[in-house]
Amino acid sequence: MPLQQLSDIWTRVRSRSDPGSLLLPSAAGDPHSPPDILRSSNDITHEVREVSAHPVKYGGSSDIYSATWQRGRHNQKVALKIHRVLDASDQKAIKRLRREISVWKRLEHPNVNAMCGLFLGLGVVPAMVSLWCEEGDISRYLKVRSGDPNIGEIKTTLMIQVANGLKYLHQHDIIHGDIKGANVLVGDDGTAKLCDFGFSILLAQHSQSFTQGSNVKGTCRWMAPELFDEEGAAHTFASDIWATGCLLIEIQCAVLPYHTKISDQQVILALSQSELPPRPKDMPDALWRLVMQCCSAQPPARASLETILFHLQESHAYVRLTRMMTASGGLEPTPNSVLARIKEGLVHSAKEDPTLYSRLFTLPDSASYGDASRLRRYRKRSLRARGQWIHAGLHERVTSAGGGSTPRKS
């Protein structure tokens, strides 16, 4: 591809005709003005203390300050995010930012980073206050735990949580628009939380950080190819799915998407030619098939979030159930043939009860699948009996834990 053509593609992506709100028209097309973000229910300036003198972190379009939020007798460390808007006269950008903030304030999901309120006095627009995540982003969190014997289960758990958070956003007609490892924080309890949805693209034409370069720098590796195809291309639910597939690569293999490409220009050239992300070493077959379903060149052909969750929860259920069963000592050492039977039983039972995988995902670790003698009897059961045994055992434990509905009988 000629250099000028590549330059045109780069410029086209930088200058989208309307980066605006990433809310779909059903949610963002309200002709009435959004509620004022400065109302007292959002403003917690008087409750925030000990704001750091300088930013403690820098993002592509924002600065992060640390502070303490005094909530009655309780103090919590919080992050204050300041978007670097070019100037106070850019009322269009500020109005859009206010609309996004008003939507974010109403969201509530364990896998979406909650907004605590607004802090005034650090910039042209209020700083957005959210709880501080000491663990950092998902890449840092996994790097620290790379030697954990259950790292595979930890990764799958985080993938499921990310997909659940994105499903929640999509159900509320919100397109994230910037899914990548840096925008997935991990809370103190190890829970993945999506952050920065909508804001990076929103500020692409209004932020100081983008006046010297491209708004796709560092982000193009997660962007769907159709975003490079035409002028005015907009992020969609489908482009979020593509980015999710790229994030699965990042989580599983600790490499960036298009890891064989050194520069962003090489990545953009590959995307403009509809080149799929290359498969990293040590990527499991089943997970790679799911990545390819997410990263289809045709947006309508990409996997739904329901499909993504089903496959991730299926993988998680197999790994977790095996760990739970072998922990009792009944299957130590565990022959591959027995593990294969466990998987067969899971698949059979899931056909009878499609909610099995999601319910197993929420099952507390304290649950166990019985003593060694019970597990030895399991080996000799038929396929249908094995499915019924797993199904009944799971239902018993989910019910006793206070979750799940009564499954259909096998």
Side-chain angles (χ1 to χ4, degrees):
M1 177 179 292
L3 182 60
Q4 182 58 46
Q5 188 174 354
L6 177 58
S7 176
D8 291 343
I9 294 174
W10 182 278
T11 303
R12 192 159 60 236
V13 175
R14 288 180 55 194
S15 56
R16 304 261 174 83
S17 60
D18 183 15
S21 172
L22 294 189
L23 299 176
L24 294 185
S26 61
D30 188 349
H32 304 289
S33 298
D36 188 352
I37 61 170
L38 302 184
R39 62 190 182 189
S40 59
S41 60
N42 287 335
D43 183 5
I44 60 172
T45 304
H46 64 289
E47 301 173 6
V48 176
R49 303 285 187 273
E50 301 173 359
V51 179
S52 59
H54 304 284
V56 294
K57 293 183 180 179
Y58 298 90
S61 62
S62 61
D63 298 327
I64 308 295
Y65 293 77
S66 64
T68 300
W69 183 21
Q70 295 181 336
R71 305 178 63 187
R73 297 182 179 179
H74 303 285
N75 292 338
Q76 289 183 288
K77 187 175 181 180
V78 292
L80 311 182
K81 174 169 285 191
I82 304 294
H83 286 287
R84 295 190 292 269
V85 178
L86 189 58
D87 59 67
S89 64
D90 194 346
Q91 293 301 313
K92 185 177 181 180
I94 293 176
K95 182 177 179 180
R96 288 174 175 171
L97 182 59
R98 288 183 174 182
R99 181 168 51 191
E100 298 291 354
I101 290 174
S102 70
V103 171
W104 184 18
K105 187 67 170 63
R106 296 194 296 269
L107 299 178
E108 186 175 355
H109 189 275
N111 303 123
V112 173
N113 197 30
M115 185 174 126
C116 306
L118 300 172
F119 179 86
L120 309 180
L122 283 178
V124 176
V125 295
M128 292 173 286
V129 184
S130 58
L131 294 181
W132 185 271
C133 292
E134 199 67 48
E135 299 287 354
D137 65 41
I138 195 169
S139 298
R140 174 187 169 188
Y141 180 80
L142 290 173
K143 184 177 181 180
V144 171
R145 287 157 182 78
S146 59
D148 192 304
N150 295 319
I151 187 63
E153 187 176 345
I154 292 172
K155 289 177 178 179
T156 308
T157 297
L158 293 171
M159 292 176 191
I160 292 171
Q161 292 172 346
V162 168
N164 275 324
L166 184 60
K167 181 179 179 181
Y168 175 81
L169 292 181
H170 284 191
Q171 287 173 338
H172 286 74
D173 290 331
I174 298 171
I175 297 167
H176 188 289
D178 197 15
I179 295 174
K180 57 183 178 180
N183 285 338
V184 181
L185 300 177
V186 180
D188 295 343
D189 61 351
T191 300
K193 299 177 182 292
L194 286 171
C195 66
D196 272 11
F197 42 89
F199 297 106
S200 294
I201 305 302
L202 171 65
L203 298 174
Q205 292 183 339
H206 307 278
S207 172
Q208 292 176 359
S209 62
F210 292 106
T211 59
Q212 300 299 324
S214 171
N215 68 322
V216 298
K217 185 175 183 181
T219 296
C220 63
R221 292 175 182 272
W222 293 263
M223 290 175 67
E226 64 269 16
L227 297 175
F228 297 83
D229 286 345
E230 57 187 44
E231 186 174 354
H235 287 266
T236 63
F237 287 148
S239 65
D240 271 357
I241 297 298
W242 173 286
T244 300
C246 293
L247 179 62
L248 296 183
I249 293 175
E250 188 179 3
I251 293 174
Q252 179 63 35
C253 300
V255 298
L256 297 178
Y258 295 93
H259 62 285
T260 58
K261 311 296 183 185
I262 298 175
S263 67
D264 288 343
Q265 288 89 340
Q266 289 177 320
V267 174
I268 290 176
L269 177 59
L271 284 165
S272 68
Q273 297 174 343
S274 298
E275 183 179 325
L276 299 179
R279 179 175 181 173
K281 187 175 69 172
D282 300 329
M283 169 66 78
D285 291 342
L287 187 57
W288 183 245
R289 287 193 294 270
L290 182 57
V291 169
M292 289 295 94
Q293 289 182 58
C294 295
C295 295
S296 169
Q298 301 301 320
R302 291 173 195 160
S304 66
L305 280 166
E306 288 75 17
T307 297
I308 294 170
L309 280 166
F310 180 86
H311 287 294
L312 290 175
Q313 288 170 343
E314 179 183 40
S315 174
H316 181 272
Y318 172 54
V319 172
R320 191 175 185 204
L321 184 58
T322 300
R323 174 173 59 79
M324 291 163 61
M325 295 179 73
T326 55
S328 67
L331 298 178
E332 290 286 356
T334 309
N336 289 334
S337 59
V338 176
L339 297 183
R341 290 171 186 166
I342 293 174
K343 190 170 186 178
E344 288 176 351
L346 273 173
V347 172
H348 178 85
S349 190
K351 290 179 180 178
E352 297 291 323
D353 175 18
T355 68
L356 182 142
Y357 292 140
S358 61
R359 292 193 298 131
L360 181 56
F361 179 69
T362 62
L363 191 65
D365 264 343
S366 58
S368 172
Y369 265 82
D371 56 23
S373 61
R374 187 181 183 191
L375 294 176
R376 282 193 291 271
R377 291 197 301 273
Y378 168 81
R379 301 184 189 188
K380 301 178 181 180
R381 298 190 176 204
S382 66
L383 173 60
R384 181 171 181 79
R386 288 197 295 270
Q388 289 175 329
W389 183 83
I390 291 176
H391 193 205
L394 173 62
H395 175 55
E396 175 187 343
R397 283 151 184 79
V398 170
T399 301
S400 65
S405 57
T406 303
R408 294 181 296 179
K409 293 183 179 179
S410 299

